[in-house]
Amino acid sequence: SAVISQKPSRDICQRGTSLTIQCQVDSQVTMMFWYRQQPGQSLTLIATANQGSEATYESGFVIDKFPISRPNLTFSTLTVSNMSPEDSSIYLCSVVLQQNTEAFFGQGTRLTVV
Amino acid sequence: GESVGLHLPTLSVQEGDNSIINCAYSNSASDYFIWYKQESGKGPQFIIDIRSNMDKRQGQRVTVLLNKTVKHLSLQIAATQPGDSAVYFCAENRPGNTGKLIFGQGTTLQVKP
């Protein structure tokens, strides 16, 4: 298994500002992902965080809005840029240790934009 | 397009009864499925998984059934307890061994004492 720590656990931000969310894993992992969970909704994949290269974004998500860093195999950051109230969601970091095995999730960062 | 859906948004059961949560998936090429439990304020927690070469898999008080013919997945919880109250998601591993998951809409399980 993997233990994933996210910071902050929650934040309230002003519109137009940016927030960087950190994800720390207790072991080296190849596959790391960021998901968004809008209020009362399911999880949607934002991007794959690639170590040493640019993240791979899913349809509907762009680097300018959600820049991602992955400096090593245990750490990643997701920035939510130029926030609007529509960005209010839970943002979740996830890792997969081996292909075709379960994903482990952090506790999430609950973001409220006012 | 690709989607994994759940039939009922809320399921209410009596403590001690069995619960069945259903899920339909659309991609016949998917080969790995996972059930997650999400409690309020927490991230999804792995419950049980099943690969496409199996029809049934049992865990502790939980059973997952896979019907590839109709692309249907179900989670059965035996002797449901108050601690089982949560939102349950099925997830489909996107074909290609990428580690990416497609989640269903979720079913809220309410356990009445």
Side-chain angles (χ1 to χ4, degrees):
Chain A
S1 66
V3 177
I4 303 170
S5 301
Q6 278 186 240
K7 286 195 286 188
S9 58
R10 59 177 61 231
D11 207 343
I12 301 174
C13 300
Q14 295 292 322
R15 67 178 68 200
T17 63
S18 298
L19 176 71
T20 295
I21 302 166
Q22 298 180 3
C23 176
Q24 180 73 53
V25 190
D26 67 342
S27 59
Q28 293 187 335
V29 295
T30 303
M31 290 176 278
M32 183 179 282
F33 308 92
W34 287 97
Y35 287 82
R36 180 177 72 181
Q37 187 174 23
Q38 294 177 299
Q41 303 284 324
S42 184
L43 284 74
T44 300
L45 180 64
I46 298 172
T48 303
N50 300 310
Q51 194 267 329
S53 64
E54 191 172 286
T56 306
Y57 290 85
E58 298 299 309
S59 176
F61 298 96
V62 295
I63 188 171
D64 289 347
K65 177 66 176 178
F66 297 102
I68 289 171
S69 78
R70 178 97 190 267
N72 55 54
L73 293 177
T74 64
F75 186 79
S76 177
T77 67
L78 168 74
T79 299
V80 186
S81 303
N82 188 25
M83 288 184 286
S84 67
E86 291 71 34
D87 295 319
S88 298
S89 294
I90 300 172
Y91 293 87
L92 294 138
C93 176
S94 172
V95 302
V96 175
L97 302 183
Q98 292 181 330
Q99 289 179 345
N100 260 6
T101 62
E102 72 270 29
F104 297 94
F105 287 85
Q107 82 279 14
T109 296
R110 184 179 295 272
L111 170 62
T112 302
V113 184
V114 297
Chain B
E2 294 178 321
S3 68
V4 180
L6 287 163
H7 296 312
L8 294 173
T10 302
L11 176 66
S12 185
V13 301
Q14 205 70 38
E15 181 180 357
D17 287 351
N18 296 334
S19 303
I20 300 176
I21 301 172
N22 296 304
C23 176
Y25 65 95
S26 60
N27 193 331
S28 57
S30 295
D31 58 3
Y32 179 58
F33 305 87
I34 311 167
W35 279 100
Y36 285 96
K37 173 186 181 183
Q38 186 177 29
E39 297 174 289
S40 181
K42 297 184 179 180
Q45 177 186 3
F46 171 84
I47 301 174
I48 193 168
D49 58 1
I50 189 166
R51 304 189 188 284
S52 59
N53 60 353
M54 303 173 69
D55 297 323
K56 178 180 180 179
R57 189 157 190 238
Q58 289 184 289
Q60 186 178 10
R61 280 201 308 119
V62 294
T63 301
V64 55
L65 299 177
L66 176 63
N67 185 331
K68 295 181 287 294
T69 302
V70 295
K71 292 185 286 188
H72 184 268
L73 194 67
S74 68
L75 176 70
Q76 300 178 359
I77 304 174
T80 312
Q81 303 169 358
D84 294 327
S85 295
V87 179
Y88 289 81
F89 294 98
C90 63
E92 170 185 9
N93 189 54
R94 194 178 293 184
N97 294 327
T98 61
K100 301 178 183 180
L101 296 177
I102 304 167
F103 279 82
Q105 291 306 303
T107 294
T108 300
L109 178 63
Q110 299 174 340
V111 182
K112 297 177 289 186

